[in-house]
Amino acid sequence: MNWIEGKKCSAEDAAAMIQDGDILGVSGFTLAGYPKAVPLALAARAEKLHVAGESFQVTLYAGASTGDSCDGALSRAGALKLRMPYQSNPSLRKGINDGSIRYIDAHLGKMGYLVRTGAVPAPTVAVIEVSAILPDGRVCLSTSGGNSVCYLDMAPKIILELNTRLGESCIGMHDDALPELPPHAKPLPVYSAGDRVGSEFVKIDVNKVIAVVENDAYDEVTPFVEPDDVSRNIGERILDFIRFEESHGRLPKGMAYQSGVGKVANAVLCAMANDERLGRIDLFTEVIQEAVLPLLKKGKLGVASGTALTLSQAAQQEFVQNAADWKKHFVLRQQEVSNSPDIIRRVGVISMNTALEADIFGNVNSSLVCGSAMMNGIGGSADFARNCALGFFLTPSVAKGGAISSIVPYVSHVDHTEHDTQIFVTEQGLADLRGLASEDRARLIIKNCAHPDFREPLTDFLEYGLKHAKGRHLPLALDRAFEMHNRFLETGKML
Amino acid sequence: MNWIEGKKCSAEDAAAMIQDGDILGVSGFTLAGYPKAVPLALAARAEKLHVAGESFQVTLYAGASTGDSCDGALSRAGALKLRMPYQSNPSLRKGINDGSIRYIDAHLGKMGYLVRTGAVPAPTVAVIEVSAILPDGRVCLSTSGGNSVCYLDMAPKIILELNTRLGESCIGMHDDALPELPPHAKPLPVYSAGDRVGSEFVKIDVNKVIAVVENDAYDEVTPFVEPDDVSRNIGERILDFIRFEESHGRLPKGMAYQSGVGKVANAVLCAMANDERLGRIDLFTEVIQEAVLPLLKKGKLGVASGTALTLSQAAQQEFVQNAADWKKHFVLRQQEVSNSPDIIRRVGVISMNTALEADIFGNVNSSLVCGSAMMNGIGGSADFARNCALGFFLTPSVAKGGAISSIVPYVSHVDHTEHDTQIFVTEQGLADLRGLASEDRARLIIKNCAHPDFREPLTDFLEYGLKHAKGRHLPLALDRAFEMHNRFLETGKML
């Protein structure tokens, strides 16, 4: 009997090996490749203990968001003390915003670095979904890279979840390299989306493995939705602008694309797949989303490099069936590499991320509703926004049927400062902020990006600031900065 | 007669070659190595033209702040249309804040990149101070690197200011390398402060040189002031903390230090020079300030790598006299290299920057008074804050004799988001924010960093937010966010 068979046990038995106060380092990134059986069993164990009057809570580090059987179940069981970084689960979000779960929203590219350098405590147990375990102690990760290599290395105990549904579909897709730590760190020689610099398997210390649990589940990803008119409109504006820049010699050929999570970003990729003039493209991104498949099927995908392959259940089936042919087009990296500032700079990335709200001076809020309530998190948007060659922030101009303007006098939380943003796009139009001072930016954003209903109040705010703010450099009037937000909190409408 | 003699002319003649609407790319970084004669003559020319009813304004790109004979004279003459990036001149600041001069506050590490990639228009005339001109078309820059290599390369016309006072003191100090541009850019092999990867001279196209003007002036730097008690206190707290981290294995040996502009940062270096337990150290910084000289004289300086050598007039004299012995300890780089995110990450930097104000949630404002009036600019603080291995933001806890708290409920401008800050230090104490969620950060910052007079109102704000903010994740109450700032604007006091 090899070591693997000797460690096999039920999810319940594995969950029983986790103690109150443990720090779990789990696999998983944007609903792809997270452990599915052990967290569910752990949630049940926590509920029983709580009923019996015993305390049981763990800290959960992930790659990014995990599915409901991990983030959701543990949140509902009251089993989470602290969660870090990015999440997107309704139950977890509720706990974060009612103050019962602590949440730290770190840059996704920096999470592993924080753990490896001791800036945050190391995980005590790694719980990692894998698609293969070899007798010599190598494992193949499943549908995401995340921080799994870091957690497998740093945690003194390891629980492996072997996803038997995946077969050999993931073998050959991963690249396990991590950047060297400073001081005097040598760079990883990744210059293009397709460059591989590590191994396709991760070598683990088998003496640390305390359990091997099988699951055959799908990543709990919602079905893919075709882009709506607003998203399609935004996607087409971006492609038009890229062509314009290329024609003026400001954008060399060979840049790779990054697109953030969500329907607008998906729409851009769909627009690319449908664009006859666009040749073959590479992606250098964090999440490889479903919209990459049309590109692949039309022969327009070079390589998609990312840290997660986030597909609907139907597309997961399709991927496993076609993996032998398709996987040469994919590289799944650790998120310290997919989101590495220096690799993003060197590869050359055209970056497209969704804004929750943007202000007339160029700041962007990606994460907090009305400055205090967490939506999902900053994700990797800042890794890309500051280090990309060309950067877009996208948002429909209004939300909640027109009650909320996405363009505001001043964002209620700053995730991206005016120093890091370049181009705003809404279905109303596009504002290229590069080379513009604050007042000029404000006039352009109001004119090109704001919804017509909000242009007058936004202009009124700007004119008031030019008269009453302490300085005119960035004419923000503090006494009226959050007037629209406060009106929304009181009446449900910004106007 | 070689080409150099043929181009020699007066500053007035050179200034006459500059046209209304030109974009000047000048040398100079934090008052070091800027052109001194031509800008002064250009200011006089602008004034005459204005009196005659003619329009005359230029755009001015620099490395960072230049001296009064450049930024100051041109501002007072009404000769500046747009200025970019960082400045520190009172006349220029006045123009920026009364709205007569447009100002774009870019990350210092990115300015050259913006020019080289066409994100902003290229300079039409480069005006660069040099310390030597060789007949073969090579020049040696003077006391700063800045963006001079970029501007010399991108501008179709070049005016050289030869500073005859410097003699050979700068030869051998510079490294002219610039990072490759994406896509598929190879990294510069800089792994330590002392690594040199380019040439000590810059090769220019002599056909582009339209004038060579001599000056023998000093950089207009104010006299060095010994640290006060508050600054010394902050400096010592930082050194204590670094020792604590080292003793807990969280800070490997071999990191280099970066210290921002100003008296607090200077005080840290002075504390290092006086610390018997501290061995030889390297600096990897943007501005090499006067406080580096005590380190050098005590034999405690390995290499100081930066883009500017900013010394008082007395120290400038001393440097020229001792340059033959001293300059092996200095490398002056282009600011795209001194402030390169990826090189900062790889070298491994302990970063110390001054905050104008910081909030209880971890955001930092480095640049704008009451959210609208420009002080100096963001400088390179964000290049270092996000990419350093260990990062401090420093500020005395109060300003204006206690009327202003540097710790506020919410900063009036965000230059560094809560995702990018690590450790706050005031003379009251130190708050290590790593691994803490928002509410815990807030309590620690109030307890350890705020002045005792402001602890109660700040706690009151936090408790109010926990009750009334939309979410408790980051309990910012928008209706009271700027209460302290607005009271200050009305009454001159935050309380």
Side-chain angles (χ1 to χ4, degrees):
Chain A
M1 189 172 81
N2 71 24
W3 68 273
I4 306 165
E5 291 303 317
K7 303 285 168 104
K8 278 194 178 165
C9 66
S10 69
E12 291 68 29
D13 288 347
M17 299 173 193
I18 295 170
Q19 309 303 320
D20 182 38
D22 263 335
I23 301 173
L24 307 187
V26 303
S27 59
F29 195 105
T30 52
L31 310 181
Y34 55 93
K36 298 162 179 84
V38 176
L40 211 52
L42 187 67
R45 169 164 144 79
E47 279 172 356
K48 269 189 209 156
L49 287 166
H50 294 164
V51 167
E54 289 184 53
S55 66
F56 187 92
Q57 281 197 321
V58 297
T59 288
L60 191 68
Y61 297 164
S65 47
T66 72
D68 193 66
S69 57
C70 183
D71 275 336
L74 289 169
S75 298
R76 288 187 296 273
L80 291 186
K81 184 181 176 193
L82 175 72
R83 177 65 167 77
M84 187 173 183
Y86 192 85
Q87 56 72 40
S88 66
N89 183 273
S91 301
L92 176 49
R93 187 183 295 129
K94 181 171 169 296
I96 291 167
N97 288 324
D98 70 20
S100 59
I101 301 172
R102 289 286 193 254
Y103 179 53
I104 302 176
D105 189 21
H107 299 303
L108 292 181
K110 210 161 183 181
M111 179 70 205
Y113 178 89
L114 295 174
V115 172
R116 291 200 292 151
T117 58
V120 298
T124 55
V125 186
V127 188
I128 307 292
E129 189 184 70
V130 295
S131 63
I133 309 176
L134 305 190
D136 65 3
R138 290 181 299 158
V139 299
C140 180
L141 301 175
S142 64
T143 50
S144 66
N147 291 310
S148 295
V149 173
C150 163
Y151 297 158
L152 286 165
D153 185 50
M154 299 290 293
K157 296 177 194 167
I158 295 172
I159 295 173
L160 296 175
E161 272 203 28
L162 177 64
N163 188 319
T164 56
R165 192 186 57 76
L166 293 167
E168 297 193 350
S169 64
C170 296
I171 293 177
M173 277 211 299
H174 285 275
D175 186 321
D176 74 337
L178 286 180
E180 278 186 23
L181 293 177
H184 319 310
K186 301 289 177 297
L188 287 179
V190 177
Y191 309 119
S192 296
D195 288 347
R196 292 179 162 277
V197 291
S199 164
E200 63 191 275
F201 291 97
V202 186
K203 179 85 181 103
I204 64 171
D205 178 353
V206 300
N207 296 313
K208 298 201 300 185
V209 178
I210 57 172
V212 174
V213 175
E214 290 190 356
N215 84 51
D216 62 356
Y218 286 93
D219 291 329
E220 294 151 295
V221 180
T222 50
F224 178 69
V225 181
E226 286 292 331
D228 58 19
D229 284 352
V230 166
S231 303
R232 213 162 25 227
N233 175 322
I234 292 174
E236 279 160 15
R237 284 182 193 281
I238 290 176
L239 282 188
D240 282 348
F241 185 80
I242 289 170
R243 274 187 218 107
F244 179 81
E245 288 295 291
E246 280 178 346
S247 71
H248 285 72
R250 285 191 293 264
L251 195 61
K253 293 280 178 193
M255 297 287 180
Y257 289 83
Q258 176 259 338
S259 77
V261 180
K263 66 179 184 178
V264 183
N266 250 328
V268 181
L269 294 183
C270 289
M272 285 177 174
N274 294 328
D275 189 311
E276 299 302 328
R277 290 165 292 179
L278 195 75
R280 210 172 167 120
I281 62 162
D282 287 341
L283 304 184
F284 191 86
T285 190
E286 43 183 12
V287 191
I288 305 171
Q289 291 190 97
E290 183 126 351
V292 79
L293 294 186
L295 276 172
L296 177 69
K297 291 175 188 172
K298 291 189 178 181
K300 297 178 79 167
L301 181 67
V303 174
S305 164
T307 189
L309 184 58
T310 299
L311 302 176
S312 67
Q313 188 169 324
Q316 289 175 56
Q317 286 179 317
E318 198 182 359
F319 192 87
V320 170
Q321 283 156 12
N322 293 282
D325 292 334
W326 287 0
K327 66 187 173 187
K328 62 178 178 287
H329 292 281
F330 295 90
V331 184
L332 288 184
R333 305 182 188 276
Q334 294 299 294
Q335 69 194 65
E336 281 188 72
V337 179
S338 65
N339 288 40
S340 156
D342 62 288
I343 296 176
I344 293 166
R345 285 205 173 213
R346 294 204 306 265
V347 165
V349 173
I350 297 172
S351 166
M352 301 171 289
N353 286 291
T354 305
L356 187 68
E357 61 181 5
D359 71 34
I360 60 174
F361 302 115
N363 302 292
V364 166
N365 174 8
S366 300
S367 62
L368 288 183
V369 177
C370 288
S372 59
M374 177 55 64
M375 181 68 84
N376 298 341
I378 189 171
S381 54
D383 299 323
F384 286 93
R386 186 177 290 175
N387 299 294
C388 64
L390 191 66
F392 299 90
F393 275 100
L394 334 170
T395 176
S397 69
V398 288
K400 303 240 182 232
I404 295 176
S405 174
S406 306
I407 306 295
V408 293
Y410 186 49
V411 289
S412 62
H413 180 75
V414 179
D415 287 308
H416 310 286
T417 72
E418 45 131 350
H419 315 284
D420 285 322
T421 58
Q422 300 180 35
I423 298 156
F424 286 174
V425 195
T426 71
E427 85 289 352
Q428 299 293 322
L430 179 150
D432 181 358
L433 311 177
R434 296 173 301 169
L436 296 184
S438 303
E439 183 188 336
D440 304 317
R441 282 186 205 175
R443 295 201 188 279
L444 188 68
I445 293 168
I446 294 170
K447 175 166 165 274
N448 287 9
C449 297
H451 189 276
D453 292 350
F454 288 90
R455 283 181 201 153
E456 195 181 307
L458 290 168
T459 303
D460 175 62
F461 174 83
L462 174 65
E463 299 296 348
Y464 179 86
L466 285 165
K467 283 197 192 74
H468 299 286
K470 184 164 173 63
R472 291 180 59 141
H473 165 62
L474 191 148
L476 171 70
L478 292 182
D479 56 332
R480 290 184 52 190
F482 296 130
E483 207 172 63
M484 276 168 57
H485 292 87
N486 286 326
R487 193 177 300 123
F488 168 74
L489 286 170
E490 280 164 31
T491 68
K493 287 183 181 178
M494 279 192 167
L495 286 187
Chain B
M1 189 172 81
N2 70 24
W3 68 272
I4 307 165
E5 291 303 316
K7 304 286 169 94
K8 279 195 177 166
C9 67
S10 68
E12 291 68 28
D13 287 349
M17 300 172 191
I18 295 169
Q19 309 304 320
D20 182 36
D22 264 336
I23 300 173
L24 306 188
V26 303
S27 59
F29 195 104
T30 54
L31 310 180
Y34 55 92
K36 298 163 178 82
V38 175
L40 211 52
L42 186 66
R45 170 165 144 76
E47 278 172 355
K48 268 189 207 155
L49 287 166
H50 295 163
V51 167
E54 291 184 51
S55 65
F56 187 91
Q57 281 196 321
V58 297
T59 288
L60 190 67
Y61 298 163
S65 48
T66 73
D68 193 67
S69 58
C70 182
D71 275 335
L74 289 169
S75 298
R76 289 187 294 274
L80 291 186
K81 182 181 176 195
L82 174 72
R83 175 68 166 76
M84 188 172 182
Y86 192 86
Q87 55 74 39
S88 64
N89 183 272
S91 302
L92 176 49
R93 187 182 296 132
K94 183 173 170 295
I96 291 168
N97 287 324
D98 70 20
S100 60
I101 301 173
R102 287 287 193 255
Y103 179 52
I104 301 176
D105 189 20
H107 299 302
L108 292 182
K110 208 158 184 182
M111 178 71 205
Y113 177 90
L114 295 175
V115 171
R116 292 199 290 151
T117 57
V120 298
T124 54
V125 186
V127 188
I128 307 292
E129 188 183 72
V130 295
S131 63
I133 308 175
L134 305 190
D136 65 5
R138 289 181 299 158
V139 299
C140 180
L141 301 175
S142 64
T143 51
S144 65
N147 291 311
S148 294
V149 173
C150 162
Y151 297 156
L152 285 165
D153 185 52
M154 298 291 293
K157 296 177 193 168
I158 295 171
I159 296 173
L160 296 174
E161 272 204 27
L162 178 64
N163 189 318
T164 57
R165 190 186 58 76
L166 293 167
E168 297 193 350
S169 63
C170 297
I171 292 176
M173 276 211 298
H174 286 275
D175 185 323
D176 74 336
L178 285 180
E180 280 186 20
L181 293 177
H184 319 309
K186 300 290 177 299
L188 286 178
V190 177
Y191 309 118
S192 296
D195 289 346
R196 293 178 161 278
V197 291
S199 165
E200 63 190 278
F201 292 98
V202 186
K203 179 85 180 102
I204 63 171
D205 177 354
V206 301
N207 295 313
K208 300 202 298 188
V209 178
I210 56 173
V212 174
V213 176
E214 289 189 356
N215 83 51
D216 61 356
Y218 286 91
D219 291 330
E220 295 151 293
V221 179
T222 50
F224 178 68
V225 181
E226 286 293 331
D228 57 20
D229 284 349
V230 167
S231 303
R232 211 160 28 222
N233 175 322
I234 292 173
E236 279 158 18
R237 284 182 194 280
I238 289 175
L239 282 189
D240 283 346
F241 185 80
I242 289 170
R243 273 188 221 107
F244 178 81
E245 288 294 292
E246 281 178 347
S247 72
H248 285 72
R250 285 191 293 265
L251 196 60
K253 294 278 177 193
M255 297 286 179
Y257 290 83
Q258 176 259 340
S259 75
V261 179
K263 65 180 183 177
V264 183
N266 251 325
V268 181
L269 295 183
C270 289
M272 285 177 175
N274 294 328
D275 188 312
E276 298 303 329
R277 289 164 292 181
L278 195 74
R280 211 171 167 121
I281 61 163
D282 287 342
L283 303 184
F284 192 87
T285 190
E286 44 182 15
V287 190
I288 304 171
Q289 290 190 95
E290 184 124 350
V292 81
L293 293 186
L295 276 172
L296 177 68
K297 290 174 186 172
K298 292 190 178 183
K300 298 179 78 165
L301 181 68
V303 174
S305 165
T307 189
L309 184 58
T310 299
L311 302 175
S312 67
Q313 188 168 325
Q316 289 176 56
Q317 286 177 318
E318 199 182 356
F319 192 89
V320 169
Q321 284 156 12
N322 294 282
D325 292 332
W326 287 0
K327 65 186 172 187
K328 62 178 177 288
H329 293 280
F330 296 90
V331 184
L332 288 184
R333 305 182 188 277
Q334 295 299 293
Q335 70 196 64
E336 281 188 73
V337 179
S338 66
N339 288 39
S340 155
D342 62 288
I343 296 176
I344 292 166
R345 286 202 173 215
R346 293 204 305 264
V347 166
V349 174
I350 297 172
S351 167
M352 301 171 288
N353 287 290
T354 304
L356 188 66
E357 61 181 5
D359 70 35
I360 59 174
F361 302 115
N363 302 292
V364 166
N365 174 6
S366 299
S367 61
L368 288 183
V369 177
C370 289
S372 59
M374 178 55 64
M375 180 68 83
N376 298 341
I378 189 170
S381 54
D383 298 323
F384 286 93
R386 185 177 291 177
N387 299 295
C388 63
L390 191 67
F392 299 91
F393 275 100
L394 333 170
T395 175
S397 68
V398 288
K400 303 240 182 232
I404 295 175
S405 174
S406 306
I407 307 293
V408 292
Y410 187 50
V411 291
S412 62
H413 180 74
V414 180
D415 286 309
H416 310 285
T417 72
E418 43 130 352
H419 314 285
D420 284 323
T421 59
Q422 299 180 36
I423 297 157
F424 286 175
V425 196
T426 70
E427 84 291 351
Q428 299 293 324
L430 179 149
D432 181 359
L433 310 179
R434 297 172 300 167
L436 296 183
S438 303
E439 184 188 335
D440 304 317
R441 282 187 205 173
R443 297 203 187 276
L444 188 70
I445 293 167
I446 293 170
K447 177 167 165 271
N448 286 9
C449 297
H451 189 276
D453 293 351
F454 288 91
R455 284 181 201 154
E456 195 181 308
L458 290 167
T459 304
D460 175 61
F461 175 82
L462 175 63
E463 299 295 348
Y464 179 87
L466 284 165
K467 283 198 192 73
H468 299 286
K470 185 166 172 61
R472 291 180 61 142
H473 166 64
L474 192 149
L476 171 70
L478 292 182
D479 56 332
R480 291 182 52 190
F482 296 130
E483 206 173 65
M484 278 169 56
H485 292 88
N486 285 326
R487 194 176 300 125
F488 169 75
L489 286 169
E490 280 164 29
T491 68
K493 287 183 182 177
M494 278 192 168
L495 285 186

